[in-house]
Amino acid sequence: MSGVLLLLMGIGPARAVPPDIFGVWDPDSVNVGGWQLDPDTGQLTALEPGVVSADPFQYKYELQCHLGGGDFDTPCLGRRLDCTNGPDGTDGFPVMWLKAPAGVQNPVWTIHSGPTCFYDPKPEDLLPRIAAMIQTEFQKLPIAAGTVTAQPSPHTLRGAETNFFAAAAEQQFDLTLLAQNVHVTAKPLQYTWNYGDGTSRGPQTAAGGPLPEDRWGERTLTSHVYTQTGDFSVALTTHFQGTYSVNGGPPLPIPGQGEFSSPPQTVSVWRSVTRNYADDCLRNAQGQGCPGVAAPAP
């Protein structure tokens, strides 16, 4: 057998061997965490989508004689469980069930039970079900929305252009949906700015960029002019476009966009005061505007 099967299994009839198993079969044994042990029957059953098991263990299956890396235990193959001519004349797969503490990443797996037969009498394509779930799951991913930088910062001037720019990166994620391996790529596409004074800009594709210090105050695609002094909380929302692939298949577009917000940044807006003085400090060191002489109250 080659390739990956996206199939939903049915329950087989009673046999002299351990109970037949229903669920999702994958010859590479990617199905980890999608199973729970029924305390009444002692059978492993597939979890419904979105259901969190209270079982203190997580479970997975492997082919009875599988050694990993595509290798098999040759002596084992000669005595493996016969799973031919199962329900409706279908053939199954002899598997061993392993368990490990729930919630542990890359755990040490131990034998739970087996061998038992895994059958496929009623196949169902899972791709449409995954497609229906993917946009919601995409929004739940821990995508880093990016960082916000202001120039000048943390203080800027009222009436002057304050340059803002965002830095967001493409990100990769792996998750399990309906016991299938799903790889997600999230790419920043648009940006929405909230400048904290009741004005906003976007969504727009421009992320902005840094300016050399001698050009601060220039207008940019993402700059903003504050008309009042005070402290303002600047927020950035980054809109990500995603693609996903199932079990190493071709990338498919995720409908819509995922919106992720960066932590707000506080910008203090000051005012600048310009005065003209008639005194020459070389002739009158105590004249207004000279070093050491207090400026008059505004």
Side-chain angles (χ1 to χ4, degrees):
M1 181 180 63
S2 63
V4 175
L5 300 180
L6 291 174
L7 302 173
L8 189 65
M9 310 303 165
I11 301 178
R15 298 169 60 89
V17 297
D20 300 331
I21 302 298
F22 71 92
V24 179
W25 167 254
D26 183 335
D28 295 323
S29 186
V30 300
N31 190 354
V32 177
W35 303 86
Q36 67 178 352
L37 186 66
D38 188 322
D40 297 324
T41 65
Q43 294 190 38
L44 285 160
T45 59
L47 288 169
E48 291 296 324
V51 174
V52 178
S53 174
D55 197 312
F57 293 98
Q58 55 182 320
Y59 303 89
K60 74 172 183 177
Y61 49 76
E62 293 182 351
L63 289 173
Q64 178 185 354
C65 301
H66 189 228
L67 294 176
D71 296 326
F72 290 87
D73 181 353
T74 302
C76 173
L77 292 175
R79 60 178 186 274
R80 65 179 175 174
L81 185 65
D82 182 11
C83 294
T84 58
N85 196 26
D88 300 325
T90 60
D91 292 342
F93 308 92
V95 299
M96 299 294 296
W97 285 91
L98 310 179
K99 70 177 181 179
V104 177
Q105 298 292 327
N106 301 316
V108 175
W109 295 90
T110 58
I111 296 292
H112 169 69
S113 62
T116 189
C117 290
F118 205 109
Y119 287 101
D120 168 31
K122 298 178 181 179
E124 175 190 347
D125 189 357
L126 293 179
L127 283 176
R129 293 177 60 188
I130 292 176
M133 301 168 59
I134 192 65
Q135 207 284 332
T136 299
E137 296 300 322
F138 182 54
Q139 188 67 51
K140 296 178 183 178
L141 292 175
I143 294 177
T147 58
V148 178
T149 302
Q151 292 177 317
S153 177
H155 312 297
T156 188
L157 294 177
R158 182 184 67 184
E161 295 279 356
T162 301
N163 182 44
F164 293 94
F165 61 93
E170 181 176 299
Q171 297 159 63
Q172 311 280 333
F173 299 90
D174 291 297
L175 60 153
T176 301
L177 293 179
L178 301 181
Q180 308 304 309
N181 278 347
V182 179
H183 181 78
V184 174
T185 299
K187 182 178 181 180
L189 188 67
Q190 292 182 311
Y191 307 85
T192 298
W193 297 91
N194 186 322
Y195 295 111
D197 61 350
T199 61
S200 61
R201 177 173 294 169
Q204 62 182 30
T205 57
L211 291 176
E213 188 171 351
D214 61 358
R215 292 178 55 191
W216 287 2
E218 291 185 9
R219 184 178 182 179
T220 68
L221 293 175
T222 52
S223 65
H224 180 63
V225 175
Y226 290 94
T227 60
Q228 301 293 327
T229 59
D231 292 336
F232 299 93
S233 184
V234 180
L236 169 70
T237 299
T238 305
H239 307 256
F240 283 82
Q241 182 68 65
T243 60
Y244 72 103
S245 62
V246 180
N247 293 336
L252 304 171
I254 296 176
Q257 295 180 3
E259 299 181 0
F260 301 86
S261 298
S262 301
Q265 175 178 314
T266 299
V267 174
S268 296
V269 180
W270 293 357
R271 68 173 181 172
S272 60
V273 177
T274 301
R275 291 189 176 94
N276 294 320
Y277 298 104
D279 286 320
D280 184 338
C281 294
L282 295 178
R283 296 181 179 180
N284 180 12
Q286 300 304 314
Q288 290 294 325
C290 295
V293 178

